[in-house]
Amino acid sequence: MRILVTGGAGYIGSHTVLLLLQAGHQVVVVDNLSNSNPEALRRVAELAGRAATLHEVDILDHAAMDHAFTEAQPDAVIHFAGLKAVGESVREPMRYYRNNVAGTVALLEAMERHQVRTLLFSSSATVYGDPHAVPILEDFPLSATNPYGRSKLMIEEILRDLHRSAPEWSIGILRYFNPVGAHESGRIGEDPNGLPNNLLPYVTQVAVGRLPAVSVYGSDYPTPDGTGVRDYIHVVDLADGHLRALDYLLRGPGLLTCNLGTGKGVSVLEMIHAMERAAGKSIPCRLTERRPGDVALCYADPGRARQLLGWTASRDLDAMCADAWRWQRDNPDGYPSA
Ligand code: NAD
Ligand code: UD1
């Protein structure tokens, strides 16, 4: 199969491209490298024994996208490209709506021009807002509390409208919970720009000595140990979920909406302790105020993915931490700058 992957040089994209190549697919990546490093795809090629083609292109660039589609002749598109920092989205909402929402519309129009109508989209558990219950089912009410979340919700609505108007499309909306970890080789992983926003890269940067201590945002939540609970999912399990979802979509038209999570809630303190075991050292942390916009509990009911895709996450918290630590230890400053 020929697959065009937007954002394929990024964190989740690079792990998915590796699995696609290993499964024998031809892969063309479209990425403007605004939040990634071409070294990731070089290493993917080294691991897979063959390479994806990279087009350094913005998904908003009509002509360059036409060129990439003409060259790739894809059977399907996996759409990872997007900006994802919540705080930045509050400061620069227009940039988020242009890049994420207008970018997706431009991609859908390019797909229509090239008669490619099979799409997997990276949504997020953020579309459940502050869930009224856990575990979270796909039909729970949707809401968003910041422009990043709203951009995901808007794109989901656009995809639902598109599918209503053109049922010949085959669309998968995958709602990721909290992707963490790295490929077990330690060669590719998460390489955030500047101070990490997310918990696990922050913890590994403290463990490796780049940062002094982890701030635990809130210890008075209604959770077993008072700290926030999330559904952390190994990035390779997540990538594998895309291959399963792609198989499902290619069976025929339809609209699939699926949680990708483990179904297990892990607290901030449990995560820090698991990383201490993986790294074999203690990780300094201090309890601080809650982070505005955070929810107490967020974990998936992954039943639909199991039932429809035959997919379940197989890597546990210790594997997530061991792999995240191997990546951080072997690449303390991330990918070498180009
Ligand atoms: P990432 O930033 O590592 O990857 C995104 C990639 O898209 C980057 O390589 C970036 O250069 C590229 N990109 C951004 N805008 C582009 C544009 N206009 N044209 C071309 N390329 C562009 O992020 P990630 O963690 O791999 O996330 C991938 C997707 O999954 C994103 O859509 C994100 O919102 C979504 N998601 C991520 C998480 C998470 O925690 N990482 C959780 C839920 C959903
Ligand atoms: C964040 C985003 C969310 C996005 C998700 C995955 C916010 C408000 N939400 O969610 O939109 O979909 O990442 O990319 O940013 N924590 C600490 N100290 C830290 C960092 C985090 O204690 O330095 C805590 C948080 O309070 C939370 C947990 O760790 O309880 C996980 O945080 P994080 O990794 O940022 O993920 P989410 O909060 O789920």
Side-chain angles (χ1 to χ4, degrees), residues 86 124 126 146 148 177-179 197-200 202 214-217 228-230 232 268 291-295:
V86 172
S124 164
T126 193
N146 56 68
Y148 166 70
F177 280 68
N178 290 63
N197 297 308
N198 294 117
L199 178 64
L200 201 73
Y202 205 103
V214 183
S215 300
V216 176
Y217 297 148
V229 167
R230 295 293 183 274
Y232 298 96
V268 175
R291 179 172 64 179
D294 274 357
V295 302

Side-chain angles (χ1 to χ4, degrees), residues 62-79:
H62 186 116
M65 287 296 279
D66 275 343
H67 177 71
F69 270 88
T70 303
E71 211 175 275
Q73 297 283 317
D75 300 295
V77 172
I78 306 183
H79 178 33

